């Protein structure tokens, strides 16, 4: 039996069935639509048979039960319905905060007020959205608010892509849309276009592995990294194509500043906007003009991602007059394993002197920093840093404060400990370099093997009895093998450096124990044995003869009568060893003295004294039978001889030449503390008056004269809550001196009734302070000891402006004062200030955008000159940055206006004078 059905578009029913009825409001809307459909279908009813092939006609709304049986058990006839092929593949969810209007005749839904439409991965928000279920087209636009300003502009999101526009239309079926006055962002590049066509690739919800390509075709668009509503700069182009997260392709374009076109044009352009690590071009870090080198580009090159954990940048510095340099930089990191970086550079500089002489200087630099994660290995550790340069690399290449660093150091170490074993191993590379003297010292390899304290006589299984004295005897062993190269930075990589290398092996064995005597005294006997092996020794030979000084035009010969010959140093290769041993016993204790006060600010004083005495013996290493020392005829004294050690200049030194010693040494360490009452929290607090005041000296029983050594006193304390460190030292001698300033065996008491003769003294005040610390000091804020001023300045946030001094809150001031007293041969005391310098460093934040930088500004009161000043001014221009730096002592300056770091940071205007031109200006 045929049935008559109303001809209702199946697209409408399909859309209704896809409405999310979990929302009560939407459920009511669905019920209302079904009622309207019933009324509408009654009006359109026609007596027409339905063809089975017509899939666009409406079938019964509910499918037949699979059993074909109703609730009474009687079989009934059920029909199914089919959806149109152009229907959507997923539900379209929508909502509105204000209202919804359903236009049944026009087959549209109007959403007002914070409207939202979601379809698969697509999400659209706007103040007004119109959804046409006939064409699957959604239109979105903003609406004016109470002030007449357009608000609720459309925001379109598809996956990780997002657009903001004044008006847009999008077809869910074809996944294409037209956007008017669009603003979108790809990484840090903001694209503003008057009209754009957007083609979205199909995404599968929940699938994050498949690659989907979207395309944006724009007309009259501006590319910029400025996030302001009215961009301060940009690249304007008439035609563009954007592949999100990959590439921006532009046609003829020119640079705009504040909306004003400039004469700078590009015929076309490619802007990579890929996310993550991709190989690509590195734009020049700087454009430079130098009188010495001509026009040049700095750090232009190519970037390579080498696997998951490594990056490599190959860059070059190129100048028109022949100066060039190459550099390889790499950063690497493996989580929970290691991280580091290296920098390898080679530079070839062409310079022309004032007289027209042309020279070329080649220099080299190698920097490497490596750190192993603590969890990488339980027993092995490898890390450190290397910084080696030749021929003044940093002075030639850099223009910043690095040119003032004349001390370069390296330390790279591999260490291993054995679990449940009392020994460890260290293999190290170390390096010291002074760029001012051009001297380099490299120690490699340096292998050290050490043991912890070993108790050879300790019982392995305690029997429960009292520990015997011999069970506390300990032994330690330390072995070291080192090789050292000494050279200049220009001769480092030469054969002569290898031939002059110093190699040696040293063994140290120490033993000792400790006893308690009379309950309060500690007795510590000890023994030390050292043995050093060398493969090369020194032999000095005297070659007699009178040297010719000069021959004048008259043929007269002048002889140097102050020299009787010349001493020649000869290296002898072969195994040689020298040995050193000593035995001793020490006695020490601690004494406390305390005075308490019941009233007043000071509540107590305490004096801690740590006296110690020791007796040690060492043999005479000048004994000819040992062969450690030899004599050679003097060059300047007739029939005179000079003594030398055959192990001179050895990497581990040479035997002592002081002769036999039986010395009684003494030392007294004093610590003074006070306890005061704090009004802030009504508690007693401790204050160290002097950290250490140490008095030491010795008496040598084996010496034939001058048995008493000079008495040395030194001490250290901190003042003003740790702001100033004061250290002092003094030397006193029990003996007098002769007219030549040499000590003689006559007591000062016998000469001028002085128990000790004053020799010299030093006092040092080292102050590091910020304005914030000065304020805290005078306002009585809680005490905080300053350990590292640089870390303090970095961690301090910008201060809130309370007064004029707040501008200098993070400004640091350092003052170094060294005073020295000496006694001359005539017994007169002289005083001089050897060092008196003050240095200022930091930044002054004048406003949110203006900042004054003072890299280094100081004054040397002894030399009466300014020390290496460096000034800078910085201006934040939102998306731009302006910097000016000036070093007057070096004659260098740098001025630049540039786009802040990002995809378009190659846009800059630099003007500078480098070190080479600065030095030439002073000539």
């Amino acid at each position: 039996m045929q049935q008559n059905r109303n001809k209702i578009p199946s697209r409408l029913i399909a859309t209704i069935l896809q409405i999310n009825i979990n929302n009560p409001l939407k459920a009511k809307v669905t019920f209302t639509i079904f009622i309207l459909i019933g009324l509408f279908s009654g009006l359109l009813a026609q007596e027409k048979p339905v063809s089975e092939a017509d899939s666009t006609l409406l079938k019964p709304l509910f499918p037949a039960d699979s059993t074909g049986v109703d609730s009474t058990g009687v079989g009934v006839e059920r029909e199914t319905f089919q959806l149109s092929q152009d229907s959507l593949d997923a539900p379209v969810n929508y909502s509105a905060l204000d209202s919804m209007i359903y236009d049944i005749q026009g087959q549209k839904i109007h959403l007002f007020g914070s409207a939202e439409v979601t379809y698969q991965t697509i999400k659209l928000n706007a103040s007004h959205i119109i959804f046409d279920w006939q064409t699957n087209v959604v239109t979105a636009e903003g609406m004016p608010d109470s002030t007449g300003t357009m608000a609720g502009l459309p925001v379109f999101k598809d996956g990780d892509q997002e657009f903001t526009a004044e008006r847009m239309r999008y077809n869910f079926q074809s996944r294409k849309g037209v956007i008017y006055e669009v603003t979108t962002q790809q990484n840090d590049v903001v694209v503003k276009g008057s009209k754009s066509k957007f083609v979205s690739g199909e995404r599968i919800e929940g699938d994050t592995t498949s690659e989907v390509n979207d395309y944006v075709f724009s007309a009259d668009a501006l590319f910029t990294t400025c996030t302001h509503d009215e961009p301060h700069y940009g690249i304007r182009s008439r035609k563009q194509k954007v592949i999100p997260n990959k590439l921006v392709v532009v046609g003829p374009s020119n640079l705009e500043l504040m909306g004003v076109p400039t004469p700078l044009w590009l015929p076309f352009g490619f802007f990579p906007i890929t996310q993550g690590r991709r190989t690509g071009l590195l734009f020049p870090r700087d454009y430079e003009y130098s009188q010495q080198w001509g026009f040049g580009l700095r750090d232009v090159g190519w970037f390579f991602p080498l696997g998951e954990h490594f990056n490599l940048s190959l860059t070059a510095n190129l100048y028109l007059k022949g100066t060039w340099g190459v550099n390889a930089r790499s950063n690497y990191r493996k989580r929970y394993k290691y991280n580091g970086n290296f920098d390898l550079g080679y530079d070839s500089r062409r310079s022309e002197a004032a007289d027209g002489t042309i020279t070329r200087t080649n220099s080299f630099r190698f920097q490497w920093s490596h750190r192993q994660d603590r969890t990488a290995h339980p027993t092995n550790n490898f890390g450190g840093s290397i910084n080696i340069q030749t021929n003044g690399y940093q002075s030639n290449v850099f223009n910043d404060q690095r040119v003032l660093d004349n001390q370069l150091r390296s330390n790279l170490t591999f260490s291993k400990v054995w679990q449940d074993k009392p020994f460890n191993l260290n293999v190290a590379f170390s390096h010291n370099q002074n760029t001012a003297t051009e001297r380099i010292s490299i120690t490699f390899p340096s292998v050290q093997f050490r043991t912890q304290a070993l108790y050879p006589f300790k019982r392995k299984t305690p029997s429960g009895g009292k520990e015997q004295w011999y069970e506390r005897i300990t032994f330690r062993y330390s072995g070291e093998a080192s090789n050292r190269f000494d050279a200049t930075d220009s001769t480092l990589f030469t054969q002569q450096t290898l031939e002059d290398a110093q190699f040696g092996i040293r063994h140290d064995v120490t033993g000792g124990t400790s006893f308690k005597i009379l309950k309060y005294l500690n007795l510590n006997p000890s023994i030390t044995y050292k043995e050093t092996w060398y493969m090369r020794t020194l032999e000095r030979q005297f070659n007699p003869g009178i040297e010719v000084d000069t021959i004048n035009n008259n043929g007269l010969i002048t002889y140097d009568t102050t020299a009787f010959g010349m001493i020649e140093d000869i290296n002898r290769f072969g195994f040689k060893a020298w040995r050193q041993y000593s035995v001793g016993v020490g006695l020490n204790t601690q004494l406390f003295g305390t005075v308490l006060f019941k009233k007043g600010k000071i509540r107590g004083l305490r004096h801690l004294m740590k006296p110690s005495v020791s007796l040690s013996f060492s043999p005479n290493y000048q004994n000819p039978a040992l062969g450690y020392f030899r004599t050679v005829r003097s060059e300047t004294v007739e029939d005179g001889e000079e003594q030398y050690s055959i192990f001179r200049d050895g990497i581990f030194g040479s035997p002592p030449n002081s002769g036999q010693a039986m010395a009684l040494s003494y030392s007294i360490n004093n610590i003074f503390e006070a306890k005061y009452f704090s009004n802030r929290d009504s508690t007693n607090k401790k204050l160290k008056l002097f950290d250490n005041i140490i008095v030491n000296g010795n008496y040598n029983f084996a010496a034939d004269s001058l048995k008493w050594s000079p008495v040395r006193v030194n001490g250290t304390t901190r003042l003003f809550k740790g702001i100033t460190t004061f250290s002092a030292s003094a030397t006193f001698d029990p003996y007098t001196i002769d007219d030549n300033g040499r000590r003689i065996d006559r007591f000062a008491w016998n000469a001028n009734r002085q128990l000790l003769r004053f020799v010299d003294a030093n006092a040092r005040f080292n102050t590091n302070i910020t304005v914030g610390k000065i304020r805290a000091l005078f306002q009585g804020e809680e005490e905080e000891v300053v350990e590292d001023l640089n870390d303090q300045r970095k961690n301090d946030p910008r201060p809130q402006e309370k007064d004029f001094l707040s501008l200098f809150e993070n400004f640091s001031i350092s003052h170094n004062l060294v005073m020295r007293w000496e006694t001359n041969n005539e017994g007169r005391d002289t005083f001089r200030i050897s060092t008196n310098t003050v240095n200022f460093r930091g930044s002054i934040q004048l406003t949110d955008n203006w900042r004054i930088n003072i890299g280094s500004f100081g004054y040397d009161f002894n030399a009466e000159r300014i020390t290496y000043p460096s000034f800078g001014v910085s201006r934040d221009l939102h998306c731009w940055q302006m910097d000016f730096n000036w070093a007057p002592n070096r004659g260098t300056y740098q001025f630049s206006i540039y786009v802040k770091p990002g995809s378009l940071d190659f846009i800059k205007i630099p003007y500078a004078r480098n070190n080479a031109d600065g030095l030439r200006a002073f000539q």
Side-chain angles (χ1 to χ4, degrees), residues 736-752:
T736 60
I737 57 176
D738 59 14
D739 296 337
N740 296 322
R742 293 177 301 184
R743 300 175 72 205
I744 60 176
D745 194 15
R746 184 184 179 187
F747 287 108
W749 178 263
N750 297 331
N752 49 25

PDB file of all heavy atoms in Angstrom, residues 736-752:
ATOM      1  N   THR A 736     116.798  42.429  63.658  1.00  0.00           N
ATOM      2  CA  THR A 736     117.051  43.690  62.967  1.00  0.00           C
ATOM      3  C   THR A 736     117.580  43.405  61.561  1.00  0.00           C
ATOM      4  O   THR A 736     117.768  42.248  61.171  1.00  0.00           O
ATOM      5  CB  THR A 736     118.061  44.537  63.742  1.00  0.00           C
ATOM      6  OG1 THR A 736     119.306  43.809  63.856  1.00  0.00           O
ATOM      7  CG2 THR A 736     117.543  44.859  65.136  1.00  0.00           C
ATOM      8  N   ILE A 737     117.821  44.486  60.815  1.00  0.00           N
ATOM      9  CA  ILE A 737     118.344  44.367  59.465  1.00  0.00           C
ATOM     10  C   ILE A 737     119.600  45.217  59.335  1.00  0.00           C
ATOM     11  O   ILE A 737     119.849  46.124  60.132  1.00  0.00           O
ATOM     12  CB  ILE A 737     117.297  44.828  58.429  1.00  0.00           C
ATOM     13  CG1 ILE A 737     116.859  46.268  58.708  1.00  0.00           C
ATOM     14  CG2 ILE A 737     116.106  43.891  58.417  1.00  0.00           C
ATOM     15  CD1 ILE A 737     115.902  46.830  57.676  1.00  0.00           C
ATOM     16  N   ASP A 738     120.422  44.897  58.300  1.00  0.00           N
ATOM     17  CA  ASP A 738     121.627  45.695  58.056  1.00  0.00           C
ATOM     18  C   ASP A 738     121.298  46.827  57.098  1.00  0.00           C
ATOM     19  O   ASP A 738     120.134  47.081  56.773  1.00  0.00           O
ATOM     20  CB  ASP A 738     122.755  44.809  57.527  1.00  0.00           C
ATOM     21  CG  ASP A 738     122.381  44.097  56.234  1.00  0.00           C
ATOM     22  OD1 ASP A 738     121.353  44.490  55.606  1.00  0.00           O
ATOM     23  OD2 ASP A 738     123.087  43.152  55.824  1.00  0.00           O
ATOM     24  N   ASP A 739     122.350  47.510  56.626  1.00  0.00           N
ATOM     25  CA  ASP A 739     122.137  48.650  55.739  1.00  0.00           C
ATOM     26  C   ASP A 739     121.551  48.257  54.394  1.00  0.00           C
ATOM     27  O   ASP A 739     120.972  49.092  53.697  1.00  0.00           O
ATOM     28  CB  ASP A 739     123.456  49.403  55.528  1.00  0.00           C
ATOM     29  CG  ASP A 739     123.965  50.011  56.826  1.00  0.00           C
ATOM     30  OD1 ASP A 739     123.129  50.232  57.725  1.00  0.00           O
ATOM     31  OD2 ASP A 739     125.196  50.244  56.937  1.00  0.00           O
ATOM     32  N   ASN A 740     121.711  46.984  54.014  1.00  0.00           N
ATOM     33  CA  ASN A 740     121.168  46.513  52.738  1.00  0.00           C
ATOM     34  C   ASN A 740     119.765  45.944  52.886  1.00  0.00           C
ATOM     35  O   ASN A 740     119.197  45.427  51.912  1.00  0.00           O
ATOM     36  CB  ASN A 740     122.089  45.460  52.131  1.00  0.00           C
ATOM     37  CG  ASN A 740     123.450  46.034  51.780  1.00  0.00           C
ATOM     38  OD1 ASN A 740     123.552  47.179  51.322  1.00  0.00           O
ATOM     39  ND2 ASN A 740     124.508  45.250  51.999  1.00  0.00           N
ATOM     40  N   GLY A 741     119.173  45.997  54.072  1.00  0.00           N
ATOM     41  CA  GLY A 741     117.828  45.499  54.285  1.00  0.00           C
ATOM     42  C   GLY A 741     117.746  44.014  54.521  1.00  0.00           C
ATOM     43  O   GLY A 741     116.637  43.460  54.528  1.00  0.00           O
ATOM     44  N   ARG A 742     118.887  43.329  54.781  1.00  0.00           N
ATOM     45  CA  ARG A 742     118.882  41.896  55.034  1.00  0.00           C
ATOM     46  C   ARG A 742     118.820  41.638  56.527  1.00  0.00           C
ATOM     47  O   ARG A 742     119.408  42.366  57.327  1.00  0.00           O
ATOM     48  CB  ARG A 742     120.133  41.241  54.442  1.00  0.00           C
ATOM     49  CG  ARG A 742     120.182  41.272  52.926  1.00  0.00           C
ATOM     50  CD  ARG A 742     121.461  40.675  52.386  1.00  0.00           C
ATOM     51  NE  ARG A 742     122.647  41.403  52.893  1.00  0.00           N
ATOM     52  CZ  ARG A 742     123.886  41.134  52.510  1.00  0.00           C
ATOM     53  NH1 ARG A 742     124.121  40.163  51.648  1.00  0.00           N
ATOM     54  NH2 ARG A 742     124.901  41.830  52.996  1.00  0.00           N
ATOM     55  N   ARG A 743     118.115  40.561  56.896  1.00  0.00           N
ATOM     56  CA  ARG A 743     117.996  40.185  58.300  1.00  0.00           C
ATOM     57  C   ARG A 743     119.357  39.719  58.830  1.00  0.00           C
ATOM     58  O   ARG A 743     120.091  38.994  58.161  1.00  0.00           O
ATOM     59  CB  ARG A 743     116.969  39.067  58.490  1.00  0.00           C
ATOM     60  CG  ARG A 743     115.567  39.395  58.047  1.00  0.00           C
ATOM     61  CD  ARG A 743     114.680  38.179  58.179  1.00  0.00           C
ATOM     62  NE  ARG A 743     114.375  37.866  59.566  1.00  0.00           N
ATOM     63  CZ  ARG A 743     114.049  36.654  60.028  1.00  0.00           C
ATOM     64  NH1 ARG A 743     114.025  35.637  59.188  1.00  0.00           N
ATOM     65  NH2 ARG A 743     113.765  36.464  61.303  1.00  0.00           N
ATOM     66  N   ILE A 744     119.662  40.131  60.039  1.00  0.00           N
ATOM     67  CA  ILE A 744     120.891  39.696  60.706  1.00  0.00           C
ATOM     68  C   ILE A 744     120.521  39.083  62.046  1.00  0.00           C
ATOM     69  O   ILE A 744     119.439  39.327  62.599  1.00  0.00           O
ATOM     70  CB  ILE A 744     121.875  40.866  60.898  1.00  0.00           C
ATOM     71  CG1 ILE A 744     121.231  41.975  61.747  1.00  0.00           C
ATOM     72  CG2 ILE A 744     122.317  41.406  59.546  1.00  0.00           C
ATOM     73  CD1 ILE A 744     122.196  43.122  62.043  1.00  0.00           C
ATOM     74  N   ASP A 745     121.424  38.269  62.556  1.00  0.00           N
ATOM     75  CA  ASP A 745     121.165  37.515  63.781  1.00  0.00           C
ATOM     76  C   ASP A 745     121.371  38.404  65.007  1.00  0.00           C
ATOM     77  O   ASP A 745     122.276  38.181  65.827  1.00  0.00           O
ATOM     78  CB  ASP A 745     122.071  36.293  63.826  1.00  0.00           C
ATOM     79  CG  ASP A 745     121.614  35.288  64.887  1.00  0.00           C
ATOM     80  OD1 ASP A 745     120.469  35.421  65.344  1.00  0.00           O
ATOM     81  OD2 ASP A 745     122.395  34.380  65.233  1.00  0.00           O
ATOM     82  N   ARG A 746     120.530  39.392  65.119  1.00  0.00           N
ATOM     83  CA  ARG A 746     120.557  40.289  66.270  1.00  0.00           C
ATOM     84  C   ARG A 746     119.127  40.691  66.583  1.00  0.00           C
ATOM     85  O   ARG A 746     118.402  41.179  65.718  1.00  0.00           O
ATOM     86  CB  ARG A 746     121.387  41.529  65.969  1.00  0.00           C
ATOM     87  CG  ARG A 746     121.538  42.452  67.182  1.00  0.00           C
ATOM     88  CD  ARG A 746     122.285  43.707  66.817  1.00  0.00           C
ATOM     89  NE  ARG A 746     122.414  44.603  67.966  1.00  0.00           N
ATOM     90  CZ  ARG A 746     122.911  45.847  67.910  1.00  0.00           C
ATOM     91  NH1 ARG A 746     123.314  46.337  66.729  1.00  0.00           N
ATOM     92  NH2 ARG A 746     123.003  46.584  68.982  1.00  0.00           N
ATOM     93  N   PHE A 747     118.727  40.464  67.844  1.00  0.00           N
ATOM     94  CA  PHE A 747     117.348  40.749  68.218  1.00  0.00           C
ATOM     95  C   PHE A 747     117.091  42.244  68.237  1.00  0.00           C
ATOM     96  O   PHE A 747     117.952  43.053  68.585  1.00  0.00           O
ATOM     97  CB  PHE A 747     117.048  40.168  69.599  1.00  0.00           C
ATOM     98  CG  PHE A 747     116.926  38.666  69.605  1.00  0.00           C
ATOM     99  CD1 PHE A 747     117.910  37.872  70.181  1.00  0.00           C
ATOM    100  CD2 PHE A 747     115.840  38.053  69.021  1.00  0.00           C
ATOM    101  CE1 PHE A 747     117.809  36.500  70.186  1.00  0.00           C
ATOM    102  CE2 PHE A 747     115.717  36.675  69.020  1.00  0.00           C
ATOM    103  CZ  PHE A 747     116.702  35.887  69.590  1.00  0.00           C
ATOM    104  N   ALA A 748     115.890  42.600  67.868  1.00  0.00           N
ATOM    105  CA  ALA A 748     115.478  43.998  67.890  1.00  0.00           C
ATOM    106  C   ALA A 748     115.460  44.543  69.313  1.00  0.00           C
ATOM    107  O   ALA A 748     115.680  45.742  69.534  1.00  0.00           O
ATOM    108  CB  ALA A 748     114.096  44.130  67.253  1.00  0.00           C
ATOM    109  N   TRP A 749     115.245  43.679  70.278  1.00  0.00           N
ATOM    110  CA  TRP A 749     115.265  44.119  71.666  1.00  0.00           C
ATOM    111  C   TRP A 749     116.653  44.592  72.071  1.00  0.00           C
ATOM    112  O   TRP A 749     116.798  45.590  72.772  1.00  0.00           O
ATOM    113  CB  TRP A 749     114.782  42.993  72.573  1.00  0.00           C
ATOM    114  CG  TRP A 749     114.812  43.345  74.028  1.00  0.00           C
ATOM    115  CD1 TRP A 749     115.784  43.041  74.944  1.00  0.00           C
ATOM    116  CD2 TRP A 749     113.841  44.109  74.724  1.00  0.00           C
ATOM    117  NE1 TRP A 749     115.488  43.533  76.169  1.00  0.00           N
ATOM    118  CE2 TRP A 749     114.275  44.218  76.072  1.00  0.00           C
ATOM    119  CE3 TRP A 749     112.632  44.710  74.366  1.00  0.00           C
ATOM    120  CZ2 TRP A 749     113.553  44.894  77.041  1.00  0.00           C
ATOM    121  CZ3 TRP A 749     111.922  45.373  75.339  1.00  0.00           C
ATOM    122  CH2 TRP A 749     112.369  45.475  76.650  1.00  0.00           C
ATOM    123  N   ASN A 750     117.660  43.885  71.595  1.00  0.00           N
ATOM    124  CA  ASN A 750     119.029  44.272  71.918  1.00  0.00           C
ATOM    125  C   ASN A 750     119.444  45.534  71.180  1.00  0.00           C
ATOM    126  O   ASN A 750     120.301  46.292  71.655  1.00  0.00           O
ATOM    127  CB  ASN A 750     120.002  43.143  71.580  1.00  0.00           C
ATOM    128  CG  ASN A 750     119.740  41.897  72.411  1.00  0.00           C
ATOM    129  OD1 ASN A 750     119.255  41.999  73.550  1.00  0.00           O
ATOM    130  ND2 ASN A 750     120.050  40.731  71.858  1.00  0.00           N
ATOM    131  N   ALA A 751     118.866  45.775  70.014  1.00  0.00           N
ATOM    132  CA  ALA A 751     119.267  46.932  69.223  1.00  0.00           C
ATOM    133  C   ALA A 751     118.573  48.201  69.684  1.00  0.00           C
ATOM    134  O   ALA A 751     119.216  49.242  69.878  1.00  0.00           O
ATOM    135  CB  ALA A 751     118.985  46.677  67.748  1.00  0.00           C
ATOM    136  N   ASN A 752     117.258  48.168  69.850  1.00  0.00           N
ATOM    137  CA  ASN A 752     116.525  49.404  70.184  1.00  0.00           C
ATOM    138  C   ASN A 752     115.389  49.160  71.174  1.00  0.00           C
ATOM    139  O   ASN A 752     114.441  49.924  71.236  1.00  0.00           O
ATOM    140  CB  ASN A 752     115.980  50.063  68.918  1.00  0.00           C
ATOM    141  CG  ASN A 752     115.252  49.060  68.046  1.00  0.00           C
ATOM    142  OD1 ASN A 752     114.754  48.051  68.523  1.00  0.00           O
ATOM    143  ND2 ASN A 752     115.221  49.340  66.751  1.00  0.00           N
TER     144      ASN A 752
END
